[in-house]
Amino acid sequence: MEVPSDRKPKHHQEFNSLAVTDLSPSTSSPTFPPVVTASFAADNSGVFQLRLRQPESGGEAICFGLRNSQLFNLGPLETLVVVEESGNSEAAKESSSFSKAFKLEFTTLYQQRAFYAAFEQLKHGVSITQNGPLKNGSVTSPKSKFDNKIEASSAKMYFHYYGQLLHQQNMLQDYVRTGTYYSAVIENCIDFQGRVVVDVGAGSGILSLFAAQAGAKHVYAVEASEMADFATRLIAGNESLRHLITVIKGKIEDVELPEKADILISEPMGTLLVNERMLETYVIARDRFLVPGGKMFPSIGRIHMAPFSDEYLFVEIANKALFWQQRNFYGVDLTPLYGSAFQGYFSQPVVDAFDPRILVSPPSSHSLDFNSIKEEDLYEIDIPLSFIAAVGTRVHGLACWFDVLFNGSSVQRWLTTAPGSPTTHWYQMRCVLSQPLYVMAGQEITGKLHLVAHSAQSYTINLTMSAKMWGPGADQGGIIQTSTGKLELKEPYYRLSQPQPYMPSAQDQLLHQHYITPQDGNVTSINLQQPQSPGFFMNQ
């Protein structure tokens, strides 16, 4: 099996624009420039070294052997490198004291993680080539790209979940999801006829069967979970199509296919579009298997966001922590844990279907083009926020949903999870702030939604929302209130069985049930086949 070049150990891996601080107690330590380029390179004997040099400098680099070095995490973006001081005396050899230390500050979390991975791989002699053992005789079985970034326990639970028929049934019975995929494929049969298709994360094989119905020359259904066995049985039971589909059990990152694909089809979307990190696998499949100019179904995803006001939801979450305000719980005072419990409940994104009238401004959107996005672009996602409040109210957080586009040659079809549209198994999601914002009509709300991927196949959400000055002189004014939240996308609060009340007010008489497009502000009718922008109900 040929190993892709991006998975082979490089003889020269560079990490640019690192700030360095010398923490060595010894005055004999080398002098570091404030900004360095760090790289890993092998010396003449094949031993890997960490080299620090000033960018664009032809001077000699400062080198440390990896065997005598250790890394310590100091926090986000900061790493301590400690180097064992070698000495000639027996005392020095026996003490194994570490006398050189310097702190590296990285520019991004991805850069820091890549540095850690390269350091550990090269220090411990991991070989992922097919050319035999390393010079030192140490050979370690390679891990796939998936295994290197996803912890084993998370992957085990993930594949166990999707290997069960009851969960596949839940997705198949989402008729918005399944029906939209079916329509997108059959209505664009011109794209599938006589073409080779790869179904990425095929599950039950339903999308492979759709592609075969549309006239595909051959479909490769790639599925890593035990569902591959069920997919094989399902496809075998459809006699007119089974000769067109080959089920391959394995991860997209590992499997080999006999030919390239003209079309990729997949259902890689999770909560907030990116949960479960399946989009990265979809992009890897594109890079490994799709011919230049090939099509992707879907081809574009959009995350939509808008501030919301929901007093019922805020009180419901806050009240959960009241348990920890008991001062005599079997004689025990629980109040020392109240603050942590309060913040813990607000760290859960709320997944439910909400009334679109709770939105207080037109939504904004962030697009992901699956045809061109890089896998690394999905490790950290920064989304700036800017809204104009349509009403005066308390803003309790940010509401989110997504849609994806099937850009067929005959028909463009959208699959949307917008509030007010038919509900899907994804529902919608809300990030609730523990400290609401007070806004007036016409006031600007700014902030940032920052998503950081982690090895449990999900994201940490960092949300900041601020209310700016409004009215006369607003251009000269600044931010008057800011609220922040840190939420774990993998641990949502599924509020699916709760009633969804709406607080009536005098403003209700001004509400009308039409969608507003943020591009031009014109009132339009709801178009579920191809929404230009998921809308909301607001005051006029």
Side-chain angles (χ1 to χ4, degrees):
M1 181 185 300
E2 177 63 21
V3 179
S5 60
D6 64 337
R7 287 165 54 189
K8 296 179 180 179
K10 300 175 182 177
H11 291 284
H12 194 71
Q13 294 176 284
E14 288 196 347
F15 301 86
N16 299 314
S17 304
L18 275 62
V20 62
T21 304
D22 189 359
L23 303 177
S24 304
S26 172
T27 57
S28 62
S29 296
T31 300
F32 294 101
V35 178
V36 300
T37 292
S39 62
F40 297 103
D43 61 15
N44 293 333
S45 63
V47 176
F48 278 96
Q49 296 178 324
L50 169 60
R51 298 183 177 181
L52 303 178
R53 61 179 176 82
Q54 194 167 8
E56 301 180 0
S57 171
E60 187 68 25
I62 301 168
C63 302
F64 303 105
L66 298 191
R67 293 177 181 174
N68 300 326
S69 304
Q70 293 187 26
L71 298 184
F72 296 90
N73 184 28
L74 298 180
L77 304 182
E78 293 186 350
T79 294
L80 180 67
V81 182
V82 182
V83 184
E84 182 178 354
E85 179 76 4
S86 59
N88 297 323
S89 67
E90 291 300 320
K93 293 178 181 178
E94 292 176 2
S95 65
S96 297
S97 62
F98 290 89
S99 58
K100 293 178 183 176
F102 50 94
K103 180 177 71 173
L104 292 178
E105 296 182 50
F106 297 86
T107 56
T108 66
L109 286 173
Y110 170 70
Q111 185 188 47
Q112 184 184 32
R113 292 169 183 163
F115 180 87
Y116 266 81
F119 182 96
E120 292 298 322
Q121 180 188 29
L122 298 175
K123 177 179 179 179
H124 297 294
V126 178
S127 172
I128 55 174
T129 68
Q130 302 297 309
N131 301 323
L134 297 177
K135 292 182 179 180
N136 61 9
S138 174
V139 180
T140 302
S141 299
K143 285 187 176 183
S144 73
K145 197 169 190 178
F146 179 90
D147 295 331
N148 276 327
K149 66 183 180 181
I150 301 300
E151 61 187 43
S153 59
S154 176
K156 182 178 180 180
M157 290 300 297
Y158 176 77
F159 292 124
H160 173 73
Y161 179 91
Y162 285 107
Q164 299 181 61
L165 283 174
L166 69 158
H167 297 305
Q168 293 292 329
Q169 179 179 335
N170 179 51
M171 292 185 289
L172 291 173
Q173 286 183 305
D174 180 346
Y175 298 117
V176 175
R177 166 197 178 270
T178 307
T180 303
Y181 268 91
Y182 180 76
S183 297
V185 173
I186 299 303
E187 291 172 345
N188 291 290
C189 58
I190 189 174
D191 292 322
F192 289 84
Q193 288 174 350
R195 306 295 172 82
V196 175
V197 180
V198 171
D199 184 355
V200 181
S204 65
I206 190 68
L207 301 185
S208 297
L209 290 162
F210 290 169
Q213 287 178 357
K217 175 184 175 182
H218 202 82
V219 184
Y220 296 96
V222 183
E223 173 58 38
S225 78
E226 295 303 314
M227 188 52 56
D229 299 328
F230 290 107
T232 300
R233 290 165 53 187
L234 179 64
I235 291 165
N238 287 264
E239 191 168 343
S240 63
L241 302 173
R242 63 186 183 186
H243 65 287
L244 299 173
I245 304 172
T246 300
V247 178
I248 299 176
K249 188 174 183 179
K251 301 184 183 74
I252 281 289
E253 293 83 355
D254 302 335
V255 301
E256 294 293 338
L257 300 180
E259 56 187 325
K260 293 286 188 177
D262 302 299
I263 297 182
L264 295 186
I265 189 168
S266 183
E267 195 266 77
M269 301 88 73
T271 307
L272 195 60
L273 182 62
V274 298
N275 189 38
E276 297 180 345
R277 299 183 65 178
M278 178 65 181
L279 284 177
E280 295 168 37
T281 298
Y282 191 35
V283 170
I284 291 171
R286 178 203 68 195
D287 294 341
R288 295 195 66 201
F289 302 127
L290 189 62
V291 300
K295 281 189 171 291
M296 301 179 74
F297 274 58
S299 58
I300 291 175
R302 300 186 302 185
I303 300 173
H304 299 273
M305 303 144 288
F308 73 92
S309 179
D310 190 340
E311 201 72 41
Y312 286 103
L313 176 60
F314 177 80
V315 171
E316 177 187 328
I317 295 175
N319 282 349
K320 289 183 177 183
L322 291 179
F323 170 84
W324 298 96
Q325 285 194 330
Q326 298 181 79
R327 296 186 179 278
N328 189 10
F329 181 75
Y330 295 95
V332 176
D333 183 359
L334 300 182
T335 58
L337 299 183
Y338 170 73
S340 297
F342 183 84
Q343 292 299 327
Y345 284 117
F346 280 95
S347 71
Q348 292 184 282
V350 176
V351 175
D352 66 354
F354 59 77
D355 190 319
R357 288 176 293 180
I358 68 172
L359 303 180
V360 299
S361 81
S364 63
S365 64
H366 179 78
S367 294
L368 302 175
D369 187 343
F370 305 144
N371 293 290
S372 59
I373 194 170
K374 297 179 181 178
E375 177 197 353
E376 292 79 9
D377 295 337
L378 295 166
Y379 292 172
E380 287 189 68
I381 303 173
D382 264 315
I383 305 176
L385 305 176
S386 181
F387 310 98
I388 301 296
V391 295
T393 186
R394 286 217 307 175
V395 172
H396 294 104
L398 190 71
C400 307
W401 59 95
F402 70 86
D403 55 23
V404 294
L405 171 65
F406 300 93
N407 190 20
S409 299
S410 299
V411 177
Q412 288 188 332
R413 184 169 287 274
W414 289 89
L415 170 57
T416 181
T417 64
S421 298
T423 302
T424 69
H425 78 283
W426 290 286
Y427 297 89
Q428 292 97 41
M429 194 198 80
R430 286 182 282 175
C431 299
V432 187
L433 296 169
S434 60
Q435 178 57 58
L437 299 174
Y438 294 82
V439 299
M440 301 297 292
Q443 190 168 2
E444 185 179 2
I445 303 169
T446 62
K448 183 171 73 172
L449 185 66
H450 181 58
L451 308 175
V452 181
H454 56 66
S455 60
Q457 291 176 276
S458 193
Y459 285 78
T460 298
I461 303 172
N462 298 286
L463 173 63
T464 301
M465 297 182 72
S466 302
K468 298 185 70 175
M469 286 288 293
W470 78 100
D475 293 341
Q476 287 74 42
I479 292 172
I480 59 175
Q481 187 186 2
T482 295
S483 185
T484 63
K486 185 174 183 179
L487 304 95
E488 180 48 64
L489 185 57
K490 193 178 177 69
E491 303 293 339
Y493 165 34
Y494 289 104
R495 191 173 176 255
L496 309 182
S497 61
Q498 299 290 325
Q500 303 297 314
Y502 176 74
M503 182 182 295
S505 69
Q507 298 169 348
D508 282 346
Q509 299 181 13
L510 301 177
L511 294 171
H512 61 85
Q513 296 190 357
H514 285 84
Y515 271 68
I516 311 298
T517 58
Q519 289 92 335
D520 53 19
N522 295 325
V523 178
T524 65
S525 59
I526 300 174
N527 184 347
L528 297 180
Q529 177 174 330
Q530 189 178 352
Q532 295 304 309
S533 179
F536 63 101
F537 298 96
M538 65 170 284
N539 303 67
Q540 292 291 305

